[in-house]
Amino acid sequence: MTGAAINKTHSPTDRTRWRLRADEGRQTWHYLTEEESKANPQTDTDKYWLDLKLDAPTLPKATTALEAARNGFEFFKRLQNEEGFWPGEYGGPMFLLPGLVITYYVTGVKFPEGWSQEIIQYLFNRADKEDGGWGLHIEGHSTVFGTALNYIALRLLGVDADHPVCVKARGTLHKLGGATGSPSWGKFWMAALGVYDWEGMNPVPPELWLLPHILPFHPARYWCHTRNVYISMSYLYGRRATPPLTDLTRQLREELYTQPYDTIAWHQQRNNICKADEYYPHTRLLNFLNRGLVLAEKVTGSVGLRAAALKAAYVQVKYEDENTHYLDIGPVNKMMNTLSTFYEEGKDSEAFQKHVKNNIDFMWMSGGGMMMNGTNGSQLWDTALLIQGVIESGLAKEPQNHEAMKKGLKFLDDCQIKKNPPFMKEGWRDPTLGAWPFSNKWQGYTVSDCTSEGLKAVLLLQGKLSYTEVRVSDKRLEQAVDIVLGLQNKNGGFASYESVRGPQWLEWINPAEVFGNIMIEYTYPECSTACVLGLTYFREQRPNYRRDEIDATIERAIQFILKDQRADGSWYGSWAICFTYATMFACESLSSVGLSYSNSEAVKNACGFLLSKQRADGGWGESYKSCEQHRYIEHKDTQVVQTAWALMALMAAKCPDHEAIKRGIRMIMSRQQPDGQWKQEAIEGIFNHSCSISYPNYKHIFTIWVLGRYAKTYGDDL
Ligand code: LAN
């Protein structure tokens, strides 16, 4: 599948032939033939995401916050699709595409037309301007993980080793010590391609799946993302799945390292992790256990346990695939499951074909080329948040917006998950009946705050707008509430997908090196707030359903939020950057139980914290490095999205400093474009303390919301 080698003159595809389609909550890009493309003209949404010229009209200049919000929605409404959701890019992480490219190379699957050219284009554009390498994510410094894997991807896609982009990247890789210093996930992908020796990897024994569940370190207790990655990684590691060498992989063996491949002492590379990559170094306990596992593997190998262990791991691969319509929880295990299925069931199997068919859901075409999204989209999340902003601002009541709100409700109705996973108990899954997912119902994982944001949006649409009909029945609303109530943890807080299943010390055996806090679920102020508010909105409309439990749950969640506040008045955010984001959520929670600046020290301190970070231009700007280092770090530029979050918090808190709030609002308005939109600024999201991820719709959603909140609170005063 290498195709023609690509020399100095790589050219992207014809951008006017790309179309974004929606299909029951799926968002997929297609490269049409010239004739097809003539018959199906591009929409505004296609053009917007491809950075092509949009004919969005210039709007009358806003002089009040409400007018600015209205202009913002006038623009953003154009991007809503016929199914009612706002499709969007969700890139950022730089370790996803290589999984796809390696999997396709090993299995011999061909890329659809246009894909490989545009993936190359994306990787070219994302190479570090100075050193030519790639990092963990688009804003990070070059690492071995990013550089080795993306270098491999380019080579497998047909780019010559002496292409200037490759020459430069290889130079950086070698300066960093070569690919032997890769973190374990990189070691895994290279071994799966046959350019790294399995001996050089710490064991990932599938035998873990044969252990009794009662053990505190049983993998079913891990955070669902980590659990699923290690299920298929253990299967592939356990069978040392290695493809036959090709000319190209032989060359790669020579290009990736600073010494000849045959002279590398592989067993000494297991704990060789480049300093530039290391975020969470191995603990001594992990190193000790790994040494034990190397010995244990020899023993289990000799007693013939491996076959049973592989079977047990593969059964879990199947449960995950079947439970998610072959979409899987995320792009990492999606690729690993695709590869496992290839080895276990073969290339012609129905299961493998289903996997290949669905990979399209993770791919996102942009003006800068094709990337792989961090999930199969953020459809539900973006739509539920936006609707709440439009309703709070009062814009939803204006006739020109009725259609958009009706369509939004249709999507929320369709997107709710209406059954439990078919392999729930055996696959260690929680119930999903009544939940809302982050992306769409096909992927179908319950997320605590997505369920709550979905619930909030539906309650507002069905309860406050006279023109929408009831589409989500009382029964289904109750089911959503049942899900939320079932997710509270002992400390009162809510985690992301499931409640906490394992002990905190499992983090000591976190083997991934590049991420923090991934072994178990943790409780988060963001997720807890969404749940508090979801239950609160529900209780207003249905005061009798499970009332005592709802009251008690809210009360305990509020206690959690109060306890989680830091001495400086802020909250640490885990899912977007960072203190600004989480402090917004916490203030919303506290405000919902009547706590505000004037009657709560906690809220007053939160306002003090935020005000202390306001900049001379009236805005806020926080760097993703706050998430890494757990202290507030200024971004070099003021950010519209963070300014919106800070102001949302101050207004929820009823902060009396109207002047400060006004200055922030003016800053946001000053950056609005004549057609009502805002331009992309720095990356917004984060996960696992170290990896940033894009939420490009936030610049529309939170600006509209905060301008609307301002207008509601202070009217035209600017
Ligand atoms: C997400 C995206 C959404 C996010 C919120 C809903 C915003 C959050 O409040 C709860 C957690 C959740 C659902 C979340 C969890 C981790 C995800 C899925 C991601 C950050 C998107 C990508 C990330 C996933 C783990 C990336 C793949 C990488 C691995 C380490 C497996």
Side-chain angles (χ1 to χ4, degrees):
M1 71 127 239
T2 43
I6 289 156
N7 287 312
K8 316 240 152 16
T9 52
H10 170 71
S11 58
T13 54
D14 174 357
R15 295 293 164 76
T16 64
R17 281 165 53 186
W18 286 95
R19 297 292 178 281
L20 175 58
R21 290 202 187 124
D23 177 14
E24 291 199 72
R26 298 174 59 191
Q27 48 174 44
T28 52
W29 282 95
H30 301 262
Y31 190 52
L32 306 186
T33 63
E34 248 169 84
E35 296 76 71
E36 284 169 336
S37 125
K38 277 190 199 118
N40 296 281
Q42 276 181 324
T43 63
D44 278 354
T45 317
D46 300 318
K47 290 187 193 159
Y48 172 82
W49 289 108
L50 290 161
D51 294 339
L52 298 173
K53 201 182 148 352
L54 261 184
D55 304 315
T58 296
L59 301 169
K61 193 163 169 47
T63 54
T64 64
L66 185 62
E67 283 169 15
R70 187 178 294 125
N71 284 356
F73 192 50
E74 257 334 285
F75 176 85
F76 198 41
K77 222 168 28 176
R78 307 169 85 91
L79 306 188
Q80 186 184 29
N81 64 20
E82 66 281 13
E83 294 198 355
F85 68 87
W86 275 264
E89 172 192 317
Y90 197 40
M94 284 308 291
F95 56 94
L96 305 176
L97 275 174
L100 171 85
V101 178
I102 291 173
T103 300
Y104 275 33
Y105 186 80
V106 170
T107 59
V109 174
K110 297 217 173 10
F111 282 110
E113 203 197 338
W115 279 32
S116 60
Q117 260 161 290
E118 289 295 350
I119 294 174
I120 293 171
Q121 191 60 37
Y122 179 74
L123 294 178
F124 279 10
N125 284 333
R126 287 294 172 190
D128 187 277
K129 299 286 170 281
E130 304 271 297
D131 65 22
W134 296 270
L136 181 67
H137 54 101
I138 56 175
E139 296 203 357
H141 61 269
S142 298
T143 60
V144 174
F145 192 25
T147 307
L149 287 188
N150 289 303
Y151 176 88
I152 291 171
L154 282 180
R155 296 283 289 117
L156 297 181
L157 289 167
V159 183
D160 275 354
D162 62 6
H163 186 287
V165 174
C166 285
V167 173
K168 200 166 168 194
R170 197 166 59 239
T172 292
L173 178 60
H174 286 198
K175 254 190 231 137
L176 290 168
T180 44
S182 171
S184 54
W185 290 22
K187 288 175 162 48
F188 163 80
W189 276 118
M190 294 192 291
L193 177 64
V195 301
Y196 186 91
D197 199 298
W198 291 106
E199 264 295 295
M201 237 186 110
N202 280 311
V204 191
E207 281 75 14
L208 278 179
W209 287 100
L210 298 174
L211 296 173
H213 179 243
I214 149 143
L215 291 172
F217 53 87
H218 190 277
R221 300 181 187 280
Y222 298 174
W223 183 43
C224 50
H225 275 281
T226 305
R227 174 166 91 227
N228 277 301
V229 165
Y230 282 102
I231 288 170
S232 37
M233 196 192 280
S234 73
Y235 172 82
L236 293 161
Y237 168 86
R239 63 180 281 169
R240 304 291 194 276
T242 319
L245 267 180
T246 64
D247 286 346
L248 183 53
T249 51
R250 243 183 237 112
Q251 289 167 24
L252 278 169
R253 283 181 171 195
E254 296 315 321
E255 293 163 25
L256 293 169
Y257 304 100
T258 53
Q259 67 185 96
Y261 190 81
D262 293 334
T263 66
I264 297 172
W266 290 105
H267 66 283
Q268 287 172 9
Q269 309 308 325
R270 291 178 193 143
N271 299 328
N272 172 9
I273 313 296
C274 177
K275 279 280 165 270
D277 287 68
E278 206 164 45
Y279 179 70
Y280 187 82
H282 291 184
T283 58
R284 277 207 257 159
L285 175 68
L286 178 67
N287 284 340
F288 173 78
L289 288 176
N290 276 334
R291 280 197 293 277
L293 284 175
V294 173
L295 295 177
E297 247 201 322
K298 297 208 168 96
V299 178
T300 51
S302 64
V303 296
L305 257 189
R306 188 46 56 102
L310 286 174
K311 208 165 156 199
Y314 193 73
V315 165
Q316 291 298 327
V317 170
K318 288 309 287 180
Y319 292 155
E320 164 74 351
D321 289 348
E322 290 288 330
N323 283 339
T324 60
H325 303 87
Y326 288 78
L327 279 166
D328 300 338
I329 192 169
V332 179
N333 82 317
K334 168 72 172 139
M335 290 307 128
M336 293 182 181
N337 282 15
T338 306
L339 197 53
S340 304
T341 305
F342 169 80
Y343 280 110
E344 185 71 29
E345 302 188 42
K347 191 171 174 182
D348 297 327
S349 63
E350 204 188 317
F352 182 74
Q353 293 307 324
K354 277 191 196 164
H355 263 303
V356 172
K357 186 167 157 266
N358 282 352
N359 287 338
I360 189 174
D361 290 43
F362 287 88
M363 306 310 290
W364 186 265
M365 190 46 206
S366 75
M370 184 179 256
M371 71 197 82
M372 195 163 191
N373 278 345
T375 57
N376 60 328
S378 50
Q379 296 87 319
L380 178 281
W381 183 250
D382 286 342
T383 305
L385 292 177
L386 193 255
I387 284 175
Q388 295 177 58
V390 175
I391 293 180
E392 182 171 341
S393 67
L395 291 172
K397 294 222 161 88
E398 300 183 356
Q400 78 277 13
N401 296 328
H402 289 185
E403 201 44 43
M405 293 295 105
K406 280 190 192 166
K407 270 165 45 183
L409 179 57
K410 183 165 114 334
F411 174 69
L412 295 170
D413 168 20
D414 183 58
C415 191
Q416 191 181 19
I417 309 171
K418 296 169 193 79
K419 54 184 176 35
N420 283 325
F423 300 97
M424 186 158 89
K425 284 222 161 56
E426 333 59 323
W428 307 105
R429 288 285 304 274
D430 275 359
T432 52
L433 173 70
W436 273 276
F438 179 69
S439 55
N440 64 22
K441 64 182 174 191
W442 307 114
Q443 187 261 10
Y445 263 84
T446 297
V447 186
S448 69
D449 55 354
C450 299
T451 302
S452 303
E453 299 295 354
L455 176 66
K456 282 160 73 185
V458 168
L459 287 167
L460 291 175
L461 284 166
Q462 295 189 167
K464 295 213 169 140
L465 302 177
S466 53
Y467 58 87
T468 49
E469 337 141 35
V470 171
R471 296 188 67 116
V472 181
S473 66
D474 279 354
K475 178 95 208 123
R476 282 171 52 202
L477 295 172
E478 287 166 10
Q479 288 168 344
V481 167
D482 294 346
I483 290 278
V484 175
L485 289 175
L487 282 170
Q488 191 170 36
N489 288 281
K490 286 201 193 75
N491 70 353
F494 286 81
S496 60
Y497 295 75
E498 295 162 346
S499 46
V500 183
R501 294 181 176 183
Q504 163 95 61
W505 58 257
L506 274 178
E507 216 53 59
W508 298 342
I509 61 166
N510 168 359
E513 298 113 0
V514 291
F515 304 122
N517 284 17
I518 60 163
M519 293 305 286
I520 55 169
E521 281 275 11
Y522 292 86
T523 44
Y524 303 103
E526 302 99 302
C527 301
S528 306
T529 291
C531 295
V532 164
L533 293 174
L535 294 173
T536 303
Y537 288 21
F538 176 83
R539 186 176 60 183
E540 275 164 24
Q541 290 188 18
R542 300 282 311 283
N544 297 323
Y545 184 74
R546 296 184 72 178
R547 178 59 188 258
D548 294 346
E549 288 156 277
I550 290 179
D551 289 353
T553 304
I554 291 175
E555 171 58 28
R556 290 174 51 220
I558 293 289
Q559 291 312 320
F560 161 77
I561 286 168
L562 287 170
K563 259 212 200 111
D564 201 51
Q565 187 175 27
R566 296 162 56 116
D568 63 4
S570 70
W571 281 262
Y572 174 81
S574 297
W575 304 113
I577 303 162
C578 174
F579 296 100
T580 323
Y581 182 69
T583 304
M584 164 180 73
F585 279 95
C587 288
E588 299 274 351
S589 264
L590 299 177
S591 135
S592 77
V593 293
L595 298 179
S596 65
Y597 187 95
S598 60
N599 65 7
S600 154
E601 271 308 297
V603 177
K604 198 169 168 186
N605 289 342
C607 293
F609 170 81
L610 288 171
L611 290 172
S612 76
K613 305 296 179 200
Q614 190 172 26
R615 299 171 167 224
D617 64 4
W620 279 257
E622 192 181 357
S623 158
Y624 79 85
K625 289 189 187 296
S626 290
C627 307
E628 282 180 358
Q629 299 179 29
H630 299 201
R631 62 189 174 92
Y632 193 96
I633 298 178
E634 294 283 346
H635 194 282
K636 68 178 180 22
D637 306 312
T638 301
Q639 304 293 319
V640 160
V641 171
Q642 281 161 345
T643 303
W645 293 338
L647 297 173
M648 291 279 289
L650 292 173
M651 285 189 271
K654 301 204 174 66
C655 172
D657 195 343
H658 181 187
E659 207 39 50
I661 297 172
K662 206 193 285 189
R663 288 201 298 126
I665 290 291
R666 285 204 212 109
M667 201 301 288
I668 293 178
M669 286 174 65
S670 74
R671 293 209 184 164
Q672 189 170 30
Q673 305 297 306
D675 59 7
Q677 68 168 314
W678 283 267
K679 291 282 182 215
Q680 183 61 37
E681 299 176 347
I683 201 156
E684 304 84 357
I686 197 83
F687 58 91
N688 304 347
H689 297 236
S690 59
C691 190
S692 71
I693 186 159
S694 309
Y695 287 82
N697 284 336
Y698 279 4
K699 62 182 175 287
H700 306 288
I701 297 172
F702 286 103
T703 44
I704 294 172
W705 198 339
V706 79
L707 288 164
R709 180 171 290 185
Y710 183 87
K712 200 183 76 177
T713 319
Y714 299 104
D716 290 349
D717 183 359
L718 259 187

